[in-house]
Amino acid sequence: MASRRITLELAAVVVVVAAAVAGSLPATTASATAYRVGDDSGWDNGVDYDAWAHGKRFKVGDTLEFLYAEGAHNVVVVEDEGSFEACVAPANAPTLSSGDDTVALNQAGRWLFICSFDGHCQSGMKLAVAVTH
């Protein structure tokens, strides 16, 4: 009987310690949202990405999935507003081209994306999202 009592007391201590540790850890991204850019239209010409992003609350930990025909488009992560507005892909900008690219929004701030294929960004294939904590 004594061993059962010790086991139960030990189990209770483990539960209390686990609860204390869990309470001291930073919040996880359990509430993260995965967004498919452009919804069913995907990442393509003719989509109003400003309208798509409007009203969405992007948070650190969320992801953006860019779906498109491989070889028809790309996704360039642009870091400055000037390049974004001018539709210029800086030489060192991260460029994704698999046709199924996921970007983890791992920090707060304004995230900027363009397609660098000739004329695509100029015709509206660009996306800006504000990411908050």
Side-chain angles (χ1 to χ4, degrees), residues 33-39 41-43 49 52 58 62-68 75 96 98-105 113 127:
T33 302
Y35 292 95
R36 178 180 291 173
V37 175
D39 296 323
S41 298
W43 183 240
Y49 293 103
W52 175 82
F58 301 98
D62 289 349
T63 58
L64 298 178
E65 182 182 23
F66 293 84
L67 293 176
Y68 55 94
V75 179
L96 310 169
S98 74
D100 186 357
D101 303 312
T102 300
V103 176
L105 303 173
F113 306 93
L127 171 66

Side-chain angles (χ1 to χ4, degrees), residues 107-129:
Q107 64 184 20
R110 190 160 155 88
W111 288 68
L112 308 168
F113 306 93
I114 66 171
C115 177
S116 68
F117 279 49
D118 191 37
H120 291 198
C121 177
Q122 292 84 347
S123 68
M125 237 179 123
K126 58 200 246 176
L127 171 66
V129 297

Side-chain angles (χ1 to χ4, degrees), residues 10-65:
L10 182 58
V13 169
V14 169
V15 169
V16 169
V17 170
V21 169
S24 67
L25 294 175
T28 63
T29 57
S31 63
T33 302
Y35 292 95
R36 178 180 291 173
V37 175
D39 296 323
D40 291 338
S41 298
W43 183 240
D44 203 357
N45 291 309
V47 178
D48 183 345
Y49 293 103
D50 287 337
W52 175 82
H54 183 75
K56 290 179 174 62
R57 297 191 55 184
F58 301 98
K59 297 178 189 165
V60 171
D62 289 349
T63 58
L64 298 178
E65 182 182 23

Side-chain angles (χ1 to χ4, degrees), residues 76-80 83 88-95:
V76 181
V77 183
V78 179
E79 294 187 8
D80 66 280
S83 294
V88 173
N92 62 343
T95 302

